[in-house]
Amino acid sequence: MRNEFTGRARTSFQFGNVEGDVIVGRGSKPDRGARSKPPAKKQKATPGQFLAGILTFFVLGAIANACDAGAKDTDFPATDQGSRPSEVSDDAVAQVVANKLQQCTTEVVLAPANCPQTHAAVSARNVRWELVGDPPRDGMQVRWQDGKFVARGTAVMTVSYDSYSGPDFAIKGFHFLTDLPWRGADTRIDTIHQPKTAPAAGTISKDRFTLPDGDLIKAVRDGFAACASATGSPLPPTCPRTATTPSATNASWSVEGDPVANWTTAGDKEFGLLRLTASYSLVASWKYTFFVEGVSTHTQAGTYEATLIRTPNKTARLLAIKHVP
C-alpha cells in the first residue's frame, strides 16, 4: 500500500515570537498547538526594594560629590580674611615654606609624597633633586584665612637620575600651594603640593630674576667650555645632545667659534628663568683601530637654548644647555 500526498510544499522560516505564538512564513497560520506558556507577570518592587534603590542613588551621588570636592583647591583669597598675627611677616612665612621645599629635595623618588615636585621617567635610579633660585620670597603670595596662613608661588628644581639609557637630567618648574597654622618656632608644613589648576598667567610674577647681559654670556661660554672637557660621546645630559651623535668612550671635544657671538634672551617671570638662544658647533674626535690606527671626527652643530637662573647671591647659574631641533 502506497502512502501518497498531493499539493505543493512551501518553505517556512521562523521570524520571531509574539505573545507566545510562533509566526512562520507567509501563507501559514499560527500553530496554536505550539503556543508557549503566557509570559510571566512582572513582579512589582516591594516598598523595601524601592527605598533601598533611593538610598543607593543618594549614596552614589554623595560619593561622586565628595570626589569632585576633593579634586578642588581652596580658593585663594584676594586679601587677608581676619586679623593675622601682627608679629608674623610674609618673610617669616616664606622661610618656613623654603625649609619645606628644601626638605623635599632630600627625597630619592620622582614623585615624593607631601611635596610638589614630580617627573616622569622609566626605571629611574639614584634620583637627586636640587632647589635652585630663590622661589619662596620672590613672587610668593601670603594670605591669612580661617586662622592659618595660606601661601602660593612657583619654584624650580633640577632632577638628575640614571635611566636605562644612562645619566639623565631635567629642569622642573612648578606652582606650589600650602597652608600653615602659625605656632611660632614650632610652625611646620605637613604637605605642600601643586594646585589642581594653576593660577592664571601673570598671577605669580617674579621681580628679582634678571641679570646683566655680561653675566649671562660668561656663564654660557663657561658652560660650553665645561661641556667640551667631557671625555665621552654623547655629551653629559646638561650639555647639548642629538640623536645622531655617535657613541664613543674616548672622545675629545672642541668648541668651534664663539657660541655667544649672536644671541637673544627671553625672561620667564612666572618661574624666574632666563633663556639664551644662539648657534653652536662642537667637534668630537676619537681614535680607532681597524687594521691600522686612525682618527674619526664628528661635528655636532645647530641651535641651542641655555637655561639660567639667578642665585640668592645675585649671580648667574647655568642649569643646562640643550640642542633645539
Side-chain angles (χ1 to χ4, degrees):
M1 180 177 180
R2 286 188 309 175
N3 292 325
E4 296 180 350
F5 68 88
T6 61
R8 184 171 56 184
R10 295 185 180 181
T11 304
S12 299
F13 302 93
Q14 179 175 329
F15 291 158
N17 186 298
V18 179
E19 294 184 353
D21 289 336
V22 178
I23 307 302
V24 296
R26 61 180 183 175
S28 297
K29 296 182 179 180
D31 185 355
R32 298 299 178 181
R35 180 186 296 271
S36 60
K37 294 182 180 181
K41 295 182 179 180
K42 295 182 179 179
Q43 294 183 351
K44 295 183 178 180
T46 65
Q49 292 172 328
F50 183 76
L51 180 60
I54 293 177
L55 290 175
T56 300
F57 175 81
F58 280 107
V59 168
L60 293 175
I63 293 174
N65 290 334
C67 292
D68 290 341
K72 296 179 181 178
D73 293 306
T74 302
D75 291 336
F76 196 83
T79 60
D80 286 347
Q81 306 298 300
S83 299
R84 66 160 72 184
S86 57
E87 73 281 4
V88 183
S89 65
D90 285 0
D91 281 345
V93 175
Q95 185 58 56
V96 178
V97 174
N99 293 342
K100 178 63 177 181
L101 290 173
Q102 192 62 49
Q103 184 183 32
C104 285
T105 64
T106 63
E107 297 286 353
V108 294
V109 295
L110 293 178
N114 307 317
C115 291
Q117 76 268 28
T118 181
H119 181 63
V122 178
S123 302
R125 308 180 308 279
N126 302 323
V127 176
R128 298 170 296 280
W129 291 97
E130 183 182 1
L131 180 67
V132 295
D134 189 16
R137 293 170 177 81
D138 192 8
M140 194 180 77
Q141 299 173 344
V142 179
R143 302 287 186 269
W144 178 259
Q145 182 184 42
D146 298 331
K148 60 186 176 182
F149 287 102
V150 289
R152 68 180 179 183
T154 59
V156 177
M157 290 188 187
T158 63
V159 58
S160 56
Y161 55 95
D162 295 325
S163 66
Y164 67 93
S165 59
D168 216 332
F169 176 87
I171 302 170
K172 308 300 294 186
F174 54 84
H175 287 262
F176 64 80
L177 177 66
T178 188
D179 57 68
L180 56 161
W182 192 258
R183 302 188 183 92
D186 295 329
T187 301
R188 65 183 298 272
I189 294 174
D190 291 327
T191 181
I192 182 169
H193 66 280
Q194 291 192 42
K196 300 295 182 183
T197 302
T203 302
I204 305 297
S205 180
K206 295 183 180 295
D207 299 319
R208 304 186 298 273
F209 74 99
T210 58
L211 288 161
D213 291 345
D215 293 356
L216 300 178
I217 292 172
K218 183 180 184 305
V220 173
R221 188 178 285 131
D222 291 346
F224 270 99
C227 289
S229 68
T231 57
S233 179
L235 290 166
T238 54
C239 298
R241 309 169 88 178
T242 67
T244 58
T245 302
S247 297
T249 57
N250 61 340
S252 60
W253 292 85
S254 61
V255 182
E256 285 191 314
D258 185 359
V260 288
N262 184 25
W263 54 271
T264 59
T265 58
D268 184 344
K269 296 187 67 173
E270 189 170 28
F271 295 99
L273 294 171
L274 293 159
R275 296 184 174 91
L276 187 149
T277 303
S279 299
Y280 79 102
S281 180
L282 290 165
V283 179
S285 61
W286 60 93
K287 294 180 179 179
Y288 69 89
T289 301
F290 187 73
F291 297 110
V292 295
E293 288 189 353
V295 176
S296 289
T297 62
H298 174 79
T299 299
Q300 178 181 305
T303 303
Y304 73 86
E305 180 184 82
T307 303
L308 305 98
I309 199 166
R310 191 174 87 164
T311 66
N313 60 358
K314 302 179 182 179
T315 61
R317 176 177 173 184
L318 176 66
L319 301 179
I321 306 172
K322 71 174 183 179
H323 178 89
V324 179

